[in-house]
Amino acid sequence: MTVLINTGQTIGVINPRLHGQFIEFLGNCINEGIWVGEDSNIPNTNGIRNDVLALLKQLAPPVLRWPGGCYADTYHWRDGVGPRDKRPVSFNENFGTFTRDDHQFGTDEFLRLCETIGAEPWINVNMLSGNIAEMKDWMEYINRREGTTLSHERQANGHQDPYNTWMWGLGNEVWAGGGTMTPATYMNEYRRFASAMPKFTKSVFEKSKMYAIASGPDANKPREAVKWTEDFFKSLADYRQPPINGYDMHFYNWNISDQKDTPTSFTEKGWNRVINGALELEELINAQFTLIKNGLKLIHEPETSMDSKLATVDLIVGEWGNWHYSAFKAQPALKQQVTMRDAITTALTLDILQRNCDKVTMACNAQTINVLNSLVLTEEDKMIVTPNFDVFMMYKAHQGGIALDVPRQDPDSGVYLFASKKGKEVIIDMINASYDEQKTVNLDFLTEVSVESLTRLAADDPHDCNTISNPDAVRAYQVDTTDFPIAKHQRLTLPAASVSTLSIYLK
């Protein structure tokens, strides 16, 4: 079997925000992972540890979501602004974190981090224990240019200009810990919060740049997810619509059926279970996209020329990643190692998001540091780069490219494929998800191509992981491409349990 890469068959533009990241005060994601404080013996810049900061600059995530997650539902922004020695101390018990929170990493620390690494901030509003006035003041503090008490307070805290933060999540997982709401009760609250958002415009005819994100379904419960979205849009269609731009579904690749299966100890059966679990996301995306389209058809036609009709709501995957059973018992909370099994599913997920770039606008890996599907693990003053980091770096070239309509899987070899193009360059992902068999894939092009580079991520053993004593056990490397011909046909042999990205140029 030969797979044809036809650069004339396209899907759409890959939004860079599909490569987003997510951080919250959970386990050691923030404290010790990102934030060590200015007085720490660990080298830092304004309290952010230098090794992690350098890596985040290299990664340059297009979007960074904060403060949660579940933590957002108990977070009050005023606790985290102003002089750090005067900030209150509270207690965080989200997902087994069980530790004091001294609020040293707050709004300004987060937004300055985003500025430093080039990320667009996505802030989630406290809709459970907070209130509308608190949300409105937070947005004013961050974004108001005019001279008000709140803008002066921001300036006094060291940031003269507005941050211009435009992505705002209203509620988080409201179907569970975010309030155990129904779509109708959530819509009642959402209408009030969304309608109260400051617009930061100077004309009633000027469109606000604020981007309101609603809490979508728990995609790990497919039947509930369908009903939730149907009922949500029925409630949305009643009378006038509040501002709504995005709809945030969450999907975790749960690996909890076999409690003996751990991030680094698993059988071939466990390997295949996790790989197949990640692939479920594609069907869920298609289902939710269709439900949103059908839901928008319920919106009434405007009665006057002054009214507008809600025509689009973006589908977002605000949290995704592998969640192994052992993470529930881990201390620090939800910390888990990363092997090629996780790297394979991370690559498969990114390819699903990219292949569905006409349906999904934004997505965030959960979470960037020390929690679940991490790119970075820290241990005191040491830092470990996981194979997931290499996958994101290998895939950066797809950002802003045009997704090509190629088969998801080669039926002959079983290799998973994705391709995008930028001008004459074509980037092709090839994932050999086999536990122990190398695979050969044949690629055909409509014109001669030259192979420019081949980057590969593989391990001697699928259970291998990077540790303090062996930090580069599983790292991406360049494959020698000098023997590849300039031709319409390219043949590649892929190691077992590997991710490869091939860069070719059309002649």
Side-chain angles (χ1 to χ4, degrees), residues 11-15 18 352-360 403:
I11 298 171
V13 177
I14 299 168
N15 193 324
L18 292 174
I352 288 170
L353 294 168
Q354 294 171 160
R355 185 166 47 251
N356 291 278
C357 62
D358 57 336
K359 304 178 185 72
V360 187

Side-chain angles (χ1 to χ4, degrees), residues 398-413:
H398 290 300
Q399 295 178 17
I402 300 173
L404 301 182
D405 189 4
V406 300
R408 181 176 87 164
Q409 188 176 18
D410 174 12
D412 186 45
S413 66

Side-chain angles (χ1 to χ4, degrees), residues 421-485:
K421 69 174 182 178
K422 289 181 179 177
K424 289 187 173 295
E425 182 184 19
V426 179
I427 304 293
I428 304 161
D429 303 333
M430 297 166 290
I431 303 170
N432 180 4
S434 172
Y435 183 73
D436 56 7
E437 292 183 30
Q438 73 174 21
K439 302 287 185 177
T440 298
V441 62
N442 296 289
L443 304 177
D444 262 5
F445 302 87
L446 297 178
T447 184
E448 290 187 337
V449 302
S450 63
V451 174
E452 297 300 309
S453 66
L454 176 59
T455 308
R456 179 163 292 153
L457 180 67
D460 295 332
D461 184 302
H463 304 89
D464 287 347
C465 58
N466 297 329
T467 62
I468 294 298
S469 59
N470 192 2
D472 296 318
V474 189
R475 296 303 308 274
Y477 58 92
Q478 295 297 311
V479 178
D480 185 6
T481 60
T482 55
D483 291 336
F484 281 86

Side-chain angles (χ1 to χ4, degrees), residues 55 58-60 375 388-397:
L55 208 73
Q58 186 181 356
L59 178 66
L375 280 62
N388 281 343
F389 174 82
D390 287 308
V391 171
F392 271 91
M393 291 299 294
M394 292 165 68
Y395 276 42
K396 278 184 73 172

Side-chain angles (χ1 to χ4, degrees), residues 134-351:
E134 183 179 20
M135 174 203 72
K136 192 171 182 294
D137 284 351
W138 199 5
M139 295 181 71
E140 291 279 343
Y141 174 88
I142 289 172
N143 287 335
R144 181 60 63 189
R145 179 173 298 279
E146 292 81 4
T148 67
T149 299
L150 286 163
S151 68
H152 289 156
E153 183 180 359
R154 180 195 68 240
Q155 292 167 356
N157 289 334
H159 203 274
Q160 182 68 28
D161 296 326
Y163 286 106
N164 297 320
T165 298
W166 55 277
M167 288 184 283
W168 294 86
L170 304 184
N172 172 77
E173 296 186 355
V174 296
W175 28 263
T180 325
M181 302 184 194
T182 67
T185 56
Y186 173 55
M187 180 51 63
N188 287 340
E189 288 300 298
Y190 181 88
R191 286 179 179 277
R192 297 173 62 242
F193 275 76
S195 298
M197 291 174 64
K199 295 180 174 61
F200 301 103
T201 58
K202 294 186 177 180
S203 165
V204 294
F205 299 104
E206 182 182 348
K207 184 178 179 181
S208 174
K209 295 180 180 179
M210 298 298 102
Y211 186 92
I213 302 170
S215 176
D218 178 1
N220 286 98
K221 295 180 174 60
R223 292 193 302 273
E224 179 186 295
V226 170
K227 189 72 167 72
W228 178 277
T229 299
E230 287 177 343
D231 289 350
F232 176 89
F233 277 90
K234 286 177 183 176
S235 296
L236 180 65
D238 284 343
Y239 296 92
R240 306 181 190 193
Q241 286 70 56
I244 177 171
N245 305 97
Y247 187 66
D248 175 22
M249 68 177 258
H250 291 177
F251 172 75
Y252 283 99
N253 186 17
W254 292 102
N255 179 30
I256 58 177
S257 61
D258 180 2
Q259 296 182 14
K260 294 180 181 179
D261 184 303
T262 74
T264 58
S265 178
F266 47 84
T267 63
E268 183 174 1
K269 181 180 178 181
W271 169 279
N272 291 328
R273 179 179 59 250
V274 173
I275 300 300
N276 291 331
L279 296 173
E280 295 175 6
L281 176 61
E282 190 141 27
E283 182 179 343
L284 296 167
I285 286 172
N286 281 292
Q288 288 296 315
F289 180 74
T290 299
L291 289 166
I292 291 172
K293 284 202 304 181
N294 291 339
L296 289 169
K297 292 176 183 177
L298 302 175
I299 305 297
H300 302 292
E301 292 296 323
E303 286 196 60
T304 73
S305 59
M306 287 292 289
D307 299 326
S308 61
K309 181 180 179 180
L310 179 65
T312 61
V313 175
D314 296 334
L315 177 60
I316 294 167
V317 184
E319 296 180 24
W320 65 264
N322 284 351
W323 192 319
H324 302 293
Y325 178 81
S326 59
F328 286 108
K329 299 181 178 181
Q331 286 298 326
L334 300 191
K335 190 170 186 177
Q336 59 188 31
Q337 254 293 0
V338 174
T339 67
M340 277 306 302
R341 183 170 65 165
D342 304 291
I344 291 284
T345 57
T346 293
L348 287 170
T349 301
L350 287 175
D351 279 347

